[in-house]
Amino acid sequence: FALKASGEYLALVEADGTTIAYEYAPEYPPQSTDVSYGLAQQVTQTTLIDEGADARYIVPTGNIAGWNTNGFNDSGWALGPTGIGYENSPADYSTYIESVVPNGTPSLYLRQTFNVANPADINHLELRLRYDDGFLAYINGVLVASDNAPGSPLYDSPATGSHPDALAVEFEPFDLSAFRDHLVAGTNVLTIQAMNRSAGNSDMLIEATLTATQDSGGASGPAGYMTQPTPGA
């Protein structure tokens, strides 16, 4: 079927064929390309980890048991703002690195805690990363995202591929909504093993943000035009 762009009567009818569940009467207004019309949801977005937030981090020299789990004691690790990495070539990442690790670092661990009042309220969870060259990301010890990482990582594992500099400085989104059940009420931890392609690489970068979205569970308010796309929101 098709709907008239100029507007017409439109209704959602119950299975009895006569009861009107909802209607646009006497008609919905004229429609335009790439502009939706209807009832909006009330959406609240919460930043759990912001760009530049502090992290505990370490360049491991051996295996560290439980480093990626909630409750691990990281008080002996360095503390500093993200992004974390190094740069020994002209200015590729210099504007993004706030905490410096030694040149040639093959792999590093970082931990960032965040609080969730009620995990059941979260409808959508999104991790965004700047990274060079690979990573493994965990929430409360559960692997939730990875790229250019070996299947059985060691503390000094290099990345299995390259993430070009032009892409590494852009935040890449990763939908973690499938892992919402691993959140707990109170303190949670995002942990990342960042991996460089090789010890001889000229630079390295890792920085994360984490956002949670809660919607009202239903549409509310008067109908109107919506000029921004809303998938995932």
Side-chain angles (χ1 to χ4, degrees):
F1 66 93
L3 300 176
K4 290 182 180 179
S6 59
E8 63 179 322
Y9 177 78
L10 177 66
L12 181 66
V13 184
E14 298 283 3
D16 61 15
T18 58
T19 302
I20 304 300
Y22 192 84
E23 64 181 356
Y24 292 98
E27 62 182 14
Y28 58 80
Q31 303 297 295
S32 301
T33 301
D34 292 333
V35 177
S36 61
Y37 179 84
L39 301 177
Q41 283 187 322
Q42 182 65 40
V43 175
T44 302
Q45 188 174 79
T46 302
T47 299
L48 302 175
I49 297 176
D50 206 353
E51 179 179 355
D54 281 352
R56 291 283 184 179
Y57 63 95
I58 191 171
V59 177
T61 57
N63 293 323
I64 302 177
W67 72 271
N68 59 355
T69 58
N70 203 346
F72 174 81
N73 183 3
D74 58 14
S75 60
W77 293 17
L79 174 66
T82 54
I84 301 171
Y86 70 87
E87 177 63 77
N88 59 22
S89 64
D92 287 342
Y93 299 155
S94 59
T95 59
Y96 304 98
I97 295 174
E98 300 292 339
S99 298
V100 179
V101 295
N103 287 355
T105 293
S107 182
L108 66 87
Y109 294 157
L110 71 85
R111 294 171 51 88
Q112 293 180 282
T113 57
F114 60 96
N115 290 312
V116 174
N118 185 1
D121 289 341
I122 295 177
N123 303 104
H124 181 72
L125 189 66
E126 182 176 84
L127 172 69
R128 297 168 66 241
L129 287 176
R130 289 184 176 125
Y131 65 98
D132 178 345
D133 284 291
F135 73 92
L136 292 153
Y138 306 82
I139 287 183
N140 296 331
V142 177
L143 180 65
V144 295
S146 65
D147 189 32
N148 292 336
S152 300
L154 303 175
Y155 71 92
D156 58 352
S157 290
T160 58
S162 175
H163 195 220
D165 292 356
L167 298 178
V169 297
E170 300 292 335
F171 277 113
E172 182 173 342
F174 296 87
D175 185 357
L176 305 188
S177 300
F179 300 97
R180 292 169 294 172
D181 291 345
H182 297 288
L183 297 172
V184 298
T187 302
N188 296 260
V189 62
L190 169 70
T191 58
I192 299 174
Q193 181 176 2
M195 301 173 179
N196 216 351
R197 184 179 54 180
S198 68
N201 250 17
S202 63
D203 45 30
M204 184 181 190
L205 176 66
I206 188 69
E207 182 170 14
T209 72
L210 187 66
T211 57
T213 302
Q214 176 186 355
D215 65 50
S216 61
S220 61
Y225 292 102
M226 290 169 276
T227 59
Q228 297 297 319
T230 58

